[in-house]
Amino acid sequence: MRPEILFPYYSPVTSLKGVGPKIAPSLSAHVGTHVRDLAFFLPSGIIKRPLVTLATARIGEVQTVEVTIGGYPSSAPKAPQRIEVFDDTGRMQLVYFHRIRSFEIQHPVGEKRLISGKIEKFGSYLQMTHPDYVVDVAQAGEIPACEPVYPATYDLSSRLIRKFAQTALATLLDLPEWQDKAILDKYIWPSFNAALKTIHAPQGEFDLSPDAPSRQRLAYDEALAHQLALKSRKQHRQSTSARVVDYRAWSDLALASLPFGLTGAQVRALEDVRGDLRSGHRMNRLIQGDVGAGKTLVALLAMIDLAEGGYQSVMMAPTEILARQHYEKCQSILQPLGITATIMTGRDKGKAREEKRAAVANGEVMIIFGTHAVFQDGVDFKSLQLAVIDEQHRFGVGQRQRLFSKGDAVHYLSMSATPIPRTLALTQYGEADLSILDEKPPGRQPIHTAVLPRQRLPDVIARLKAALASGSQAYWICPLVEDTAESDLIAVERRHRELQEAMGIEIGLVHGRMASEDKDAVIGRFAAGEIRILCATTVVEVGIDVPTASIIIIEQAERFGLAQLHQLRGRVGRGRDKSACILLYDTPLSKNAQARLELLRDTEDGFKIAEMDWKLRGEGDILGAKQSGFPDYRFVDPVAHTSLIAMAARDAVYILQHGDALPAPRRKAIEVLKQLFDWRPDLADKQD
Ligand code: ADP
Ligand code: MG
């Protein structure tokens, strides 16, 4: 139930004075449907209106001048209206495309006026088209010294948004304080409503910066509401009962058969998982670890525990190639234990598919590897108790949801090789528990990384020839930002031809436009060593494991994101050989791009790279933020407000645990906050 005090916040924008049916659709599309959305719509900057003389006016900028009305030259009735004005230093014309009849009466010749707007030059004339303000000198106060500017659209000007935002603010009731007074005092934060007002009436640039107290207050409120939503979902999950799974005899057998032992980090992660499985509550855990850290093995051991208990589990991968690789690698461990496994992909057809489905439905098969095909209707399990999802960000919430619905209180384990900054972990995965594999299996060789201009291509090819002669295999990666861009495709095919000519051997080619059967076939031959060089787009980015490949060359490396380059580089360094990664760039290279490539050259630590990548992108990179999986924040800047998010996360836990001890008014106010930001539950992994 929404508290009454919030009703004005959730009124439709059309309830505001001045918002008619004509403007409402664009306002809704651009800003939002509720009055609240207008109040939450941040200005993107400010306009100052410095007072200048006509001689010192800067062309193209918004300024204010004090002038005398000089005259109203006559013109044809349909022509624009022109008004002469002057000061001691020069002359200017005001232009109105449609005549304003009363203008001449209000502003007679000889009167002094303050006029504000963008000053332009038309031939040798100074000109101002449709001034923003024309006021009596005595009314100087009507021209704001500093005015917020809003992101506008063609039919929704910044001024109109500003007007609506002001109207909206005037309708909103002051909300009760949900914040601890000590915090308000400590950070000198204003009340919520005062902060909103300041955001819409900035006195200077600083008021809009992420460090301004008003902005901080609002960002904290937003983050707290979000964290409360995430954490209460977590609390809810942790109180949902699930099957107790507590077995390890078969896993111990599997471990004993391996030629290596687990790393300390793997042991810790596995124990985290086992703790969840025997807790009697549903698990939702994310295993984060750099490429090659051994996540799959941890997940497999958990799946073996389940099989021992007679429960089924599935491991999902985003691509067919990956699913197959998981299946094949894990088979060598599962078969000796007599655990039956299968793989389900979109390629299964007809009778074979029906047989597989039957085996899963009647429990003959205990472990299923697969792609999206596993989500489909018609796939039923006998006793699905664990879903492992590799690269979970590649799956939609709805898809995961469908998978969970195939069992009862299914435990959920996700794996991600994309190291993410702490802020993102707190926001995106705020609901999951986290295990981090921060240790690589021993014996891995460091990857030597070089950053070279494209002009060095001939040298690179010569070195590649020498390396091939001594038995190496190599990836040659061409950039392909859009997997469907024609021009990029041509580039890959051409490079493939050129390489084949230069090297005089068969070179494999894979790109996103190929059928997955064909892709698999080529990659299969590469893995078997039949093909020595694989020319590819980023389709090889995720997880492909060919331990004998020890060289990767990446063209136009500056076009890739750092995290992506790191993933690509992780394709080598998986075997015993010394590995190399060559990043080729096109000149000229921007300073920022150079810094990014050098960072990659100097470190192999995925977390460090992710953190730096994030910082190098800079604050206010909204698009980047969205792509990285941040929620749709209005006030929070994920880079600038890292520590605020962390603080909100701690406070949310405290409030959930000790909320009952808070004074009643504050408890009620916190409810208001939650409803005010209204984080929808589909934000996080919905499992209920
Ligand atoms: P990730 O999924 O984290 O990228 P994988 O689980 O695919 O990593 O492991 C990468 C490779 O390392 C695999 O070939 C795997 O068998 C091997 N591996 C896993 N754990 C260990 C370990 N503790 N010691 C040695 N090799 C390991
Ligand atoms: Mg993996």
Side-chain angles (χ1 to χ4, degrees):
M1 275 290 287
R2 189 170 284 154
E4 213 164 300
I5 197 165
L6 287 181
F7 287 0
Y9 289 76
Y10 279 95
S11 299
V13 283
T14 46
S15 69
L16 293 174
K17 197 167 152 274
V19 181
K22 245 176 91 184
I23 200 75
S26 32
L27 193 58
S28 298
H30 185 52
V31 176
T33 48
H34 297 121
V35 169
R36 180 199 68 162
D37 301 324
L38 264 168
F40 285 5
F41 197 70
L42 277 187
S44 52
I46 55 168
I47 294 186
K48 288 203 165 162
R49 302 180 173 274
L51 187 66
V52 296
T53 62
L54 288 171
T56 56
R58 298 163 69 110
I59 304 305
E61 291 183 15
V62 173
Q63 293 149 102
T64 304
V65 286
E66 185 178 332
V67 292
T68 306
I69 305 289
Y72 290 83
S74 59
S75 58
K78 289 249 158 104
Q81 181 173 31
R82 293 175 184 279
I83 301 129
E84 293 280 355
V85 300
F86 62 89
D87 68 4
D88 291 344
T89 68
R91 289 153 27 107
M92 179 166 74
Q93 274 199 345
L94 310 182
V95 181
Y96 287 91
F97 289 111
H98 23 260
R99 289 164 179 264
I100 301 168
R101 231 172 258 162
S102 57
F103 198 94
E104 196 167 343
I105 301 162
Q106 281 174 13
H107 309 291
V109 172
E111 292 279 313
K112 279 214 150 107
R113 291 290 179 266
L114 276 169
I115 296 181
S116 192
K118 193 198 265 183
I119 296 179
E120 283 159 320
K121 206 156 196 175
F122 189 73
S124 57
Y125 274 102
L126 288 182
Q127 174 173 302
M128 187 186 290
T129 310
H130 292 211
D132 300 329
Y133 297 92
V134 178
V135 302
D136 226 308
V137 180
Q139 262 98 54
E142 279 182 30
I143 303 182
C146 175
E147 192 179 316
V149 182
Y150 295 84
T153 65
Y154 73 98
D155 57 353
L156 201 58
S157 69
S158 166
R159 276 191 94 182
L160 204 53
I161 297 174
R162 170 161 173 255
K163 199 180 104 193
F164 293 152
Q166 291 300 331
T167 314
L169 284 177
T171 69
L172 302 181
L173 304 170
D174 280 359
L175 299 179
E177 186 55 73
W178 47 77
Q179 196 54 268
D180 188 7
K181 178 147 186 329
I183 292 185
L184 295 182
D185 290 347
K186 180 170 168 201
Y187 296 99
I188 325 174
W189 283 349
S191 73
F192 173 80
N193 292 85
L196 263 190
K197 285 185 181 131
T198 302
I199 287 280
H200 290 283
Q203 297 304 303
E205 293 284 355
F206 177 74
D207 280 341
L208 291 182
S209 83
D211 296 334
S214 298
R215 174 74 187 277
Q216 294 225 325
R217 153 98 219 216
L218 297 171
Y220 175 84
D221 290 343
E222 180 172 43
L224 180 62
H226 183 221
Q227 291 296 327
L228 282 169
L230 289 174
K231 296 286 188 311
S232 64
R233 292 183 52 72
K234 179 169 176 174
Q235 213 177 40
H236 175 71
R237 168 174 59 78
Q238 286 170 336
S239 64
T240 311
S241 39
R243 198 89 60 184
V244 174
V245 181
D246 190 9
Y247 305 89
R248 61 169 71 209
W250 291 9
S251 289
D252 285 345
L253 281 178
L255 274 176
S257 74
L258 289 177
F260 51 76
L262 295 180
T263 65
Q266 282 174 314
V267 171
R268 286 190 293 277
L270 183 60
E271 286 316 312
D272 287 346
V273 170
R274 285 179 168 155
D276 296 344
L277 289 174
R278 62 167 177 264
S279 71
H281 301 294
R282 188 187 246 174
M283 167 170 72
N284 177 357
R285 181 169 294 279
L286 169 68
I287 300 185
Q288 268 241 312
D290 220 339
V291 281
K295 297 179 291 292
T296 316
L297 182 59
V298 174
L300 181 69
L301 292 167
M303 293 167 93
I304 293 174
D305 287 352
L306 270 106
E308 186 182 345
Y311 305 117
Q312 288 174 307
S313 47
V314 6
M315 183 183 287
M316 307 289 307
T319 66
E320 170 127 22
I321 298 174
L322 262 187
R324 200 159 290 284
Q325 223 165 51
H326 282 157
Y327 172 66
E328 277 155 16
K329 280 199 100 153
C330 294
Q331 272 298 56
S332 62
I333 296 176
L334 295 174
Q335 264 169 352
L337 294 171
I339 301 174
T340 47
T342 192
I343 174 164
M344 290 183 133
T345 72
R347 221 188 283 173
D348 302 327
K349 297 269 146 57
K351 189 152 171 277
R353 183 173 74 177
E354 290 319 308
E355 280 171 10
K356 274 187 191 175
R357 287 183 171 187
V360 172
N362 67 26
E364 255 172 66
V365 165
M366 297 307 287
I367 295 186
I368 298 97
F369 297 86
T371 60
H372 300 77
V374 180
F375 301 132
Q376 307 308 312
D377 291 338
V379 179
D380 297 309
F381 295 80
K382 177 142 189 270
S383 59
L384 180 64
Q385 287 302 323
L386 170 65
V388 179
I389 300 196
D390 199 5
E391 299 297 326
Q392 67 141 343
H393 60 279
R394 298 260 203 129
F395 293 93
V397 175
Q399 291 176 318
R400 275 177 272 163
Q401 187 60 31
R402 274 163 75 188
L403 186 59
F404 298 132
S405 71
K406 292 179 183 293
D408 182 31
V410 177
H411 291 293
Y412 175 33
L413 183 62
S414 52
M415 305 190 280
S416 174
T418 316
I420 51 172
R422 198 177 125 69
T423 343
L424 184 58
L426 274 171
T427 55
Q428 195 181 8
Y429 304 115
E431 200 200 333
D433 297 301
L434 196 60
S435 297
I436 294 180
L437 294 188
D438 50 5
E439 199 178 331
K440 284 208 179 163
R444 294 275 159 83
Q445 299 270 6
I447 303 169
H448 175 76
T449 302
V451 179
L452 301 173
R454 189 217 275 273
Q455 287 81 339
R456 296 278 302 276
L457 201 67
D459 298 344
V460 172
I461 291 184
R463 267 162 64 182
L464 186 57
K465 269 188 182 158
L468 283 198
S470 61
S472 303
Q473 278 183 283
Y475 294 97
W476 190 290
I477 309 294
C478 300
L480 211 152
V481 175
E482 275 292 320
D483 220 357
T484 50
E486 200 69 47
S487 55
D488 283 340
L489 194 61
I490 293 169
V492 182
E493 284 172 342
R494 189 177 52 220
R495 177 60 79 215
H496 175 246
R497 262 198 321 277
E498 286 168 0
L499 278 178
Q500 216 153 241
E501 275 162 29
M503 311 290 298
I505 53 168
E506 182 191 354
I507 291 175
L509 172 66
V510 285
H511 55 71
R513 284 258 194 107
M514 292 164 63
S516 49
E517 282 91 339
D518 299 339
K519 265 190 290 202
D520 288 7
V522 177
I523 291 172
R525 290 182 60 211
F526 181 66
E530 289 166 32
I531 301 177
R532 310 285 301 286
I533 302 182
L534 187 65
C535 186
T537 61
T538 48
V539 292
V540 302
E541 178 189 341
V542 188
I544 289 182
D545 191 13
V546 179
T548 46
S550 59
I551 299 170
I552 185 163
I553 293 146
I554 305 174
E555 281 194 74
Q556 288 186 288
E558 74 280 5
R559 283 178 67 183
F560 293 95
L562 268 192
Q564 200 180 13
L565 285 174
H566 179 63
Q567 286 276 324
L568 282 167
R569 178 169 62 179
R571 295 312 102 213
V572 300
R574 311 191 134 231
R576 299 255 152 254
D577 296 343
K578 270 204 157 54
S579 295
C581 169
I582 297 167
L583 303 173
L584 290 172
Y585 61 86
D586 282 3
T587 47
L589 194 61
S590 75
K591 267 219 147 61
N592 194 288
Q594 184 174 348
R596 289 155 62 95
L597 294 182
E598 282 172 1
L599 170 72
L600 203 75
R601 182 191 61 198
D602 297 340
T603 180
E604 267 191 71
D605 180 336
F607 283 90
K608 213 164 165 184
I609 289 169
E611 202 79 49
M612 281 309 290
D613 192 19
W614 187 239
K615 290 202 176 121
L616 284 171
R617 277 197 206 159
E619 291 171 13
D621 176 8
I622 299 298
L623 192 69
K626 292 230 162 92
Q627 284 167 350
S628 319
F630 280 100
D632 274 337
Y633 285 131
R634 297 157 194 265
F635 301 118
V636 173
D637 176 326
V639 177
H641 294 144
T642 310
S643 55
L644 280 183
I645 293 175
M647 180 169 136
R650 283 193 305 273
D651 292 351
V653 171
Y654 180 86
I655 289 169
L656 285 171
Q657 281 170 359
H658 306 286
D660 293 346
L662 293 175
R666 213 176 139 211
R667 266 201 329 258
K668 273 174 103 168
I670 289 170
E671 281 310 307
V672 170
L673 168 71
K674 276 158 57 180
Q675 302 269 341
L676 175 65
F677 281 95
D678 187 30
W679 286 104
R680 285 159 310 286
D682 60 358
L683 248 184
D685 306 310
K686 192 168 183 309
Q687 291 187 40
D688 313 306

